[in-house]
Amino acid sequence: MKFFKAIASIASIAFFSTGAFAQEDDALRNMQMGMAGLQQAAKDPALLAQLMQDLQNPEMMAEAQKMMDSPEFKKQMKQLTGDKGFKDSIKKTADMLKDPNAAAQMEAKMEHMAKVGADQLKKGAGAAMEEAMNAMANPEVMAEMVQLMKDPSFKQQIEAMSKDPSFQNYAAAMKDMMNDPAKKAKVEQASESIRAAL
């Protein structure tokens, strides 16, 4: 049932991620986009895994709560919950959850999708880390990296990013790279080049 409890939070994230409500039409469009995002997440393991990680981001959750407290959001939710299609969908879901086998089957499917998605995110992060390491072999890219490392605001950005739960994919990818002797040597060489230039 963990997935079903989280779905309401994911809906908030999806609604929030579509932007602030400026007018009623925008609010309705944003809610529709959020629902479409949820439907897509139910089919896309990587998107589902990212949404689940986003639930762990305190800043994003605080913004989602702020958005849910807004009068515009409450008004649109009241309209949405009064919609016959919405009511039918909620009833269908509630009826399905009454069947323990169907509920367990759906939860197992979603948990599997979230695991597959997390693996996809980790692989994507690993590919991005390898691409970055290959790029740093270029002296021009390395020079730009050194300049960035000298900038105190860049260091602050890196520190802030490291606190973001989605950054953990990159940390895990780096850890995996360090288990491969050839990749570890590349990382150490790049680190040494940066330290020497600073």
Side-chain angles (χ1 to χ4, degrees):
M1 294 302 239
K2 179 173 71 172
F3 174 77
F4 296 109
K5 290 178 183 175
I7 199 71
S9 296
I10 292 174
S12 299
I13 296 296
F15 294 147
F16 168 69
S17 68
T18 61
F21 295 167
Q23 312 172 27
E24 273 186 40
D25 289 344
D26 287 342
L28 182 58
R29 191 174 317 111
N30 287 340
M31 291 180 75
Q32 289 169 338
M33 288 174 59
M35 290 304 244
L38 285 176
Q39 289 174 341
Q40 184 60 34
K43 299 173 192 167
D44 181 346
L47 182 57
L48 177 65
Q50 184 63 55
L51 286 173
M52 296 301 281
Q53 285 181 3
D54 289 345
L55 289 173
Q56 299 172 24
N57 183 327
E59 289 177 19
M60 188 174 284
M61 293 307 296
E63 288 296 322
Q65 185 62 50
K66 184 174 148 184
M67 184 269 314
M68 288 188 298
D69 290 340
S70 76
E72 296 89 357
F73 179 83
K74 289 178 181 180
K75 181 178 179 182
Q76 289 299 323
M77 283 304 294
K78 188 174 181 178
Q79 289 177 356
L80 178 66
T81 57
D83 179 76
K84 183 182 177 344
F86 180 83
K87 286 180 181 179
D88 290 347
S89 177
I90 294 296
K91 183 180 179 335
K92 183 178 174 183
T93 301
D95 290 345
M96 186 210 57
L97 291 176
K98 288 178 185 174
D99 177 357
N101 290 332
Q105 195 174 36
M106 182 172 257
E107 183 174 1
K109 178 183 176 188
M110 289 300 162
E111 285 179 0
H112 173 72
M113 282 183 61
K115 182 183 181 323
V116 167
D119 290 344
Q120 289 174 350
L121 291 176
K122 186 177 177 183
K123 285 178 185 174
M129 293 299 289
E130 287 205 34
E131 188 177 326
M133 292 307 302
N134 291 336
M136 288 198 318
N138 179 332
E140 291 174 9
V141 173
M142 181 58 80
E144 287 180 42
M145 176 61 77
V146 168
Q147 285 305 111
L148 282 172
M149 295 301 287
K150 290 179 180 179
D151 182 354
S153 66
F154 180 73
K155 289 179 185 178
Q156 290 173 343
Q157 289 174 344
I158 294 295
E159 287 175 19
M161 280 179 27
S162 69
K163 295 175 185 170
D164 184 334
S166 64
F167 187 78
Q168 299 311 310
N169 291 322
Y170 295 96
M174 181 58 80
K175 185 177 178 182
D176 287 348
M177 286 178 78
M178 297 304 278
N179 290 331
D180 180 321
K183 292 176 184 175
K184 182 178 181 179
K186 265 186 173 180
V187 170
E188 290 173 346
Q189 181 182 8
S191 296
E192 192 55 42
S193 296
I194 292 171
R195 273 193 287 272
L198 292 174

